[in-house]
Amino acid sequence: MTAPAGAAAEPVRWVRTLAAGQRAQLFVLDVETGESVLVLDSAEWLFESPNWHPSGRWIVLNADGRLFRVDLEDPAGLEPIALDGVPTDVNNDHILSPDGSLHVVSVNDGHLYTAPWRGGPVRRVTSDKDPARAFRHFLHGISPDGRVLAFVGTEVLGDDEFGIRRLWTLDVSTGREALIGNGFSVADGPEFSPDGAWLWFNSEIASTAPGHAQVFRHRLADDTTEQLTDDERVNWFPHVSPDGRLLSYLSYPPATLGHPADLPVELVLVDLATRGTRGRIALQGGQGTINVNSWAPDSRRLAYVAYPSA
């Protein structure tokens, strides 16, 4: 999520760019060997949020308000994906349908859209709300059958320009939106488990002060909620590997508010069978590093973006 809930009705640009001397670097981690391989390095494009096509051949990223893919068989650069009819910039919340046929994207007009994998006309799948509430949709997950989207809904609340941030689902076929639990505000990153039984997310509901987000999961069948992390760091964007064995999440320094860019962060791997930490990768990053699910379909590789400066 990059735009405030109370944004103006007219589309505006919230597009990140590289600072002087900064680079965007796409890495792929082999979780068995612990080796990270640099796939793409750019001093021109600030790209964000890698997610994989189910074939394992392509990684999709956003940059400059557009979508791109990287062909891992020939990673020469960013290949643009045409989104015909999109009203303004796409942001860093984008995913692929489980069968790989569709992109689902968050757009900076506050709505969610679908588009064919190869590019083409977009279709809006969310509805307008009360304009006084300035409701905006920020996508993070899709159910294993491709029928339900999980998103963060932001709304204006008093003088708070960022408003409230709660967890919702959207049934794409009916258009019905439903609040998850009590919304778990302040919350972000809702994502389905591989079996569709749980919704993973980060939230401040256990915090006694603003910030200090931790990782939770919510069982959809009985509305029970479980806290998975409880430490001094600020933990965001939990992603479960497709085989259900590993959890990755982004860990910020203590007292970090929100999920800002350009901080010394850690990419943490957890073995879900033992709940033990499998590994940590220190990098310069944050916003854009792993906003969406970054696991390869083989559950062995994990993509992430670092933003080092000279």
Side-chain angles (χ1 to χ4, degrees):
M1 239 172 13
T2 58
E10 290 297 318
V12 295
R13 302 203 79 192
W14 291 289
V15 174
R16 290 176 61 202
T17 57
L18 292 169
Q22 189 177 35
R23 309 187 73 85
Q25 296 179 325
L26 172 65
F27 289 92
V28 171
L29 167 69
D30 185 320
V31 298
E32 296 299 325
T33 67
E35 180 185 7
S36 287
V37 175
L38 179 62
V39 175
L40 194 64
D41 185 358
S42 178
E44 177 184 5
W45 296 97
L46 191 154
F47 45 75
E48 302 177 288
S49 304
N51 58 324
W52 297 69
H53 188 269
S55 67
R57 176 174 173 177
W58 291 277
I59 291 176
V60 177
L61 302 146
N62 64 283
D64 192 39
R66 295 178 285 164
L67 272 192
F68 297 85
R69 60 178 163 253
V70 177
D71 186 346
L72 295 178
E73 294 185 359
D74 182 22
L78 296 172
E79 304 174 7
I81 300 169
L83 300 178
D84 301 336
V86 70
T88 183
D89 299 311
V90 302
N91 64 35
N92 48 65
D93 301 321
H94 51 84
I95 57 178
L96 285 156
S97 61
D99 65 2
S101 65
L102 292 174
H103 299 277
V104 193
V105 297
S106 297
V107 175
N108 284 341
D109 65 349
H111 287 286
L112 308 182
Y113 295 78
T114 61
W117 157 245
R118 292 288 181 182
V122 301
R123 180 175 75 90
R124 198 176 92 176
V125 296
T126 48
S127 58
D128 291 320
K129 309 294 189 300
D130 178 357
R133 300 292 288 176
F135 194 99
R136 300 177 64 83
H137 307 75
F138 294 93
L139 178 71
H140 280 275
I142 189 167
S143 60
D145 62 9
R147 297 174 58 185
V148 181
L149 302 178
F151 67 92
V152 179
T154 68
E155 300 176 70
V156 169
L157 183 64
D159 295 328
D160 183 355
E161 66 173 343
F162 289 98
I164 55 175
R165 305 193 293 278
R166 299 186 293 179
L167 306 183
W168 297 77
T169 58
L170 166 66
D171 185 313
V172 177
S173 61
T174 66
R176 180 178 179 270
E177 296 180 4
L179 193 66
I180 295 298
N182 62 8
F184 304 107
S185 187
V186 175
D188 210 329
E191 186 174 294
F192 289 92
S193 61
D195 61 6
W198 297 86
L199 200 70
W200 290 76
F201 60 98
N202 59 268
S203 174
E204 298 178 20
I205 56 173
S207 303
T208 57
H212 200 221
Q214 297 294 309
V215 172
F216 296 81
R217 64 178 182 174
H218 179 80
R219 194 199 308 269
L220 297 169
D222 60 9
D223 284 339
T224 57
T225 304
E226 180 181 0
Q227 184 170 346
L228 273 295
T229 65
D230 184 12
D231 57 55
E232 66 176 0
R233 295 182 65 83
V234 179
N235 302 321
W236 281 73
F237 300 136
H239 306 311
V240 180
S241 60
D243 62 10
R245 294 189 308 112
L246 297 175
L247 170 72
S248 64
Y249 63 88
L250 187 66
S251 184
Y252 281 95
T256 302
L257 296 178
H259 56 103
D262 302 329
L263 288 178
V265 296
E266 294 180 351
L267 184 59
V268 182
L269 295 177
V270 175
D271 186 317
L272 287 175
T274 66
R275 301 292 175 88
T277 300
R278 174 79 172 263
R280 292 177 179 267
I281 298 174
L283 66 142
Q284 186 76 6
Q287 170 75 344
T289 293
I290 56 163
N291 288 54
V292 295
N293 193 302
S294 304
W295 284 101
D298 62 10
S299 295
R300 177 166 176 163
R301 294 170 293 166
L302 182 71
Y304 63 94
V305 181
Y307 303 98
S309 297

